[in-house]
């Protein structure tokens, strides 16, 4: 992907440490009999709507980009628009398709046409449905208020045992993600102690609060959309750079 002149590459950290945890480490991985702790928090930039914003997100340091196929979203993409974005992505950048209670035919068509490498489900989809498309999937859980929420998250994560990650986002009665609203991070921090999958934290994150969020929750990754926009669907290179400084400031 060509780097836009307004997008500056961020300094990135990819070190591994053995037998120790650090703030924002995210998750431990066992490989070849060794235990490794990831030494940085991964970042997904969601609601990408064009190739320029994709290039800016990648240059800033994004590990994954979210492409929205939910009909009610102001960031919704056509298959052609999505394909124009994924076709220019460099190696090791994950293209994640976001769906909310879709028909199987809709997901199948998107997978066939757009070059997605991962799926994210934001509705009430059953585990067997989510796992039926031949791609890894992330299950999003919209977090309400209340002390019982951590238990609900743990139970849903267990039901979706084959999800590669659990994403926690703010609950909204109408909007599925991208609201810019923050939920109580203490709920996420408590749930993270018990769920087996890596945890992705979303919901109201921005450059000002992402460092505190990482310190409190210790997520595997953070997910941001409206927090790096000037308007829905339009990412800003300077805001993106500030957000990544907030992430890396914890590392």
């Amino acid at each position: 992907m060509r780097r836009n002149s307004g997008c500056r590459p961020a300094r990135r950290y990819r070190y591994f440490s053995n037998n120790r945890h650090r703030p924002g480490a995210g998750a431990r991985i066992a490989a070849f009999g060794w235990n490794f702790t990831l030494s940085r928090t991964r970042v997904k930039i969601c609601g990408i709507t064009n190739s320029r914003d994709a290039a800016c997100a990648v240059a800033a340091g994004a590990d994954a980009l979210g492409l929205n196929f939910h009909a009610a979203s102001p960031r919704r993409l056509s298959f052609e628009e999505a394909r124009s974005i994924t076709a220019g992505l460099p190696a090791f950048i994950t293209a994640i398709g976001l769906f909310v209670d879709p028909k199987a035919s809709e997901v199948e068509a998107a997978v066939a046409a757009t070059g997605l490498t991962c799926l994210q489900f934001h509705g009430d989809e059953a585990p067997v449905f989510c796992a039926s498309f031949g791609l890894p999937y992330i299950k999003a859980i919209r977090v309400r208020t209340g002390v019982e929420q951590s238990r609900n998250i743990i139970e849903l994560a267990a039901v979706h045992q084959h999800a590669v990650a659990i994403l926690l986002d703010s609950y909204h009665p109408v909007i599925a993600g991208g609201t810019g609203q923050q939920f109580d991070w203490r709920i996420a921090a408590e749930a993270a102690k018990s769920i087996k999958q890596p945890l992705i934290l979303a919901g109201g994150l921005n450059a000002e609060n992402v460092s505190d969020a990482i310190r409190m929750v210790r997520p595997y990754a953070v997910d941001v959309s409206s927090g790096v926009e000037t308007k829905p669907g339009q990412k800003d290179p300077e805001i993106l750079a500030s957000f990544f400084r907030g992430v890396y400031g914890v590392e």
Side-chain angles (χ1 to χ4, degrees):
M1 174 178 290
R2 293 180 180 177
R3 186 171 291 149
N4 187 282
S5 59
C7 307
R8 295 174 296 183
R11 185 178 182 185
R12 305 191 69 177
Y13 301 89
R14 296 182 178 273
Y15 305 110
F16 291 86
S17 59
N18 202 358
N19 297 322
R20 65 188 180 92
H21 276 290
R22 305 196 315 105
R28 296 183 69 84
I29 292 179
F32 303 106
W34 302 332
N35 287 323
F36 291 97
T37 300
L38 297 178
S39 65
R40 67 176 180 87
T41 306
R42 270 55 178 166
V43 179
K44 171 174 170 270
I45 305 298
C46 203
I48 295 292
T49 60
N50 58 75
S51 295
R52 175 194 173 277
D53 286 356
C56 286
V58 170
D63 300 282
L65 304 181
L67 309 180
N68 199 321
F69 297 99
H70 181 40
S73 174
R75 304 172 183 87
R76 184 191 184 186
L77 295 173
S78 68
F79 292 168
E80 292 76 17
E81 290 168 331
R83 184 62 189 175
S84 70
I85 294 170
T86 62
L89 294 181
F92 307 119
I93 302 299
T94 305
I96 302 176
L98 189 155
F99 302 88
V100 183
D101 293 318
K103 296 179 181 178
S105 59
E106 295 171 349
V107 181
E108 291 166 351
V111 170
T114 63
L116 297 175
T117 52
C118 185
L119 305 175
Q120 179 176 317
F121 294 103
H122 253 269
D124 296 319
E125 302 88 357
V128 66
F129 177 90
C130 296
S132 66
F133 301 102
L135 289 176
Y137 80 91
I138 296 165
K139 186 65 186 79
I141 300 173
R142 289 180 279 176
V143 181
R144 300 171 185 258
T145 58
V147 295
E148 78 284 356
Q149 279 301 292
S150 292
R151 183 172 65 253
N152 292 345
I153 293 166
I154 294 166
E155 292 173 354
L156 278 171
V159 169
H160 284 272
Q161 59 180 316
H162 297 300
V164 295
I166 297 297
L167 183 147
L168 301 185
D169 200 355
S170 302
Y171 173 81
H172 189 281
V174 177
I175 304 172
T179 65
Q181 297 179 2
Q182 178 182 324
F183 68 92
D184 188 343
W185 294 333
R186 291 174 297 181
I187 296 173
E190 187 63 28
K193 298 175 184 178
S194 299
I195 67 173
K196 295 181 179 180
Q197 302 95 325
L199 186 144
I200 303 171
L201 183 66
L205 296 177
N206 54 50
E208 287 69 41
N209 65 20
V210 68
S211 294
D212 289 339
I214 292 172
R215 291 188 184 98
M216 178 178 289
V217 180
R218 305 291 196 264
Y220 169 76
V222 291
D223 183 314
V224 64
S225 182
S226 61
V228 292
E229 293 179 332
T230 53
K231 63 180 182 180
Q234 183 173 310
K235 304 318 189 215
D236 182 273
E238 293 302 320
I239 301 176
L240 275 166
S242 295
F243 184 83
F244 278 90
R245 284 195 293 271
V247 174
Y248 294 146
V250 184
E251 316 277 84

